[in-house]
C-alpha cells in the first residue's frame, strides 16, 4: 500500500515561513513527478508547485519568488519551503505524486495539511 504522508503545516503570521514535507512509503519502483496543490474554502484545488524526478520545477504565478519546491529522491520526499506568507495562502495543502508500481504509473494524494496565515 503506497502512502503519501505530509507534515509541517500550522499557523503563522503574515510574512512568516513554513516548510512542508511529504514522504512516500510502501512498495514501488520509482516516483516520477511530485507536486503540491492547495484548496481554500469555497475554491477549487489548484497547483502550487511541481517538480520532475530530474528537478525541473514550475510554480503558480501567485507563489513565484516566495515558495520553493525541492525533493530528495533517496528519501522519497518532496518539500515546499514557503516564505513571505500572505493571508491568501491560507488553505489545505495536498501532496501529489505519480508513482511507478512496475505495472504502470498511478496518481497518489496525501491527506492534506492545514496552513493558516494570520494578518
Amino acid at each position: 500500500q503506497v502512502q503519501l504522508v505530509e507534515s509541517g503545516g500550522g499557523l503563522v503570521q503574515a510574512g512568516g515561513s513554513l516548510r512542508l514535507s511529504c514522504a512516500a512509503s510502501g512498495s514501488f519502483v520509482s516516483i516520477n513527478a511530485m507536486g503540491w496543490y492547495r484548496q481554500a474554502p469555497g475554491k477549487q484545488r489548484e497547483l502550487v508547485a511541481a517538480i520532475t524526478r530530474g528537478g525541473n520545477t514550475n510554480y503558480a504565478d501567485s507563489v513565484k519568488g516566495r515558495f520553493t519546491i525541492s525533493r530528495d529522491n533517496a528519501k522519497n520526499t518532496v518539500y515546499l519551503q514557503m516564505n513571505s506568507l500572505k493571508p491568501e495562502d491560507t488553505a489545505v495543502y495536498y501532496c501529489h505524486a505519480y508513482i511507478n508500481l512496475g505495472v504502470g504509473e498511478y496518481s497518489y494524494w496525501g491527506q492534506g495539511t492545514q496552513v493558516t496565515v494570520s494578518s
Side-chain angles (χ1 to χ4, degrees):
Q1 181 79 4
V2 176
Q3 285 188 313
L4 298 178
V5 179
E6 299 128 335
S7 61
L11 173 65
V12 65
Q13 288 188 331
S17 298
L18 282 174
R19 189 192 195 207
L20 305 182
S21 299
C22 171
S25 64
S27 180
F28 49 85
V29 174
S30 62
I31 303 175
N32 298 326
M34 304 184 81
W36 290 94
Y37 289 72
R38 67 186 180 187
Q39 188 166 19
K43 294 189 176 181
Q44 289 190 329
R45 190 173 297 189
E46 63 175 359
L47 175 67
V48 176
I51 185 168
T52 66
R53 182 170 179 81
N56 292 320
T57 60
N58 68 284
Y59 297 90
D61 288 344
S62 59
V63 307
K64 283 180 181 177
R66 300 188 298 123
F67 291 11
T68 302
I69 189 171
S70 61
R71 64 189 287 173
D72 185 333
N73 291 331
K75 295 182 179 180
N76 297 320
T77 299
V78 63
Y79 306 96
L80 185 68
Q81 178 66 44
M82 304 185 292
N83 298 329
S84 302
L85 282 160
K86 304 175 181 180
E88 51 263 44
D89 294 317
T90 295
V92 178
Y93 283 69
Y94 296 91
C95 173
H96 176 266
Y98 288 104
I99 297 180
N100 180 4
L101 302 184
V103 293
E105 182 182 81
Y106 294 84
S107 173
Y108 288 89
W109 291 92
Q111 80 284 359
T113 185
Q114 178 70 47
V115 171
T116 302
V117 184
S118 63
S119 57

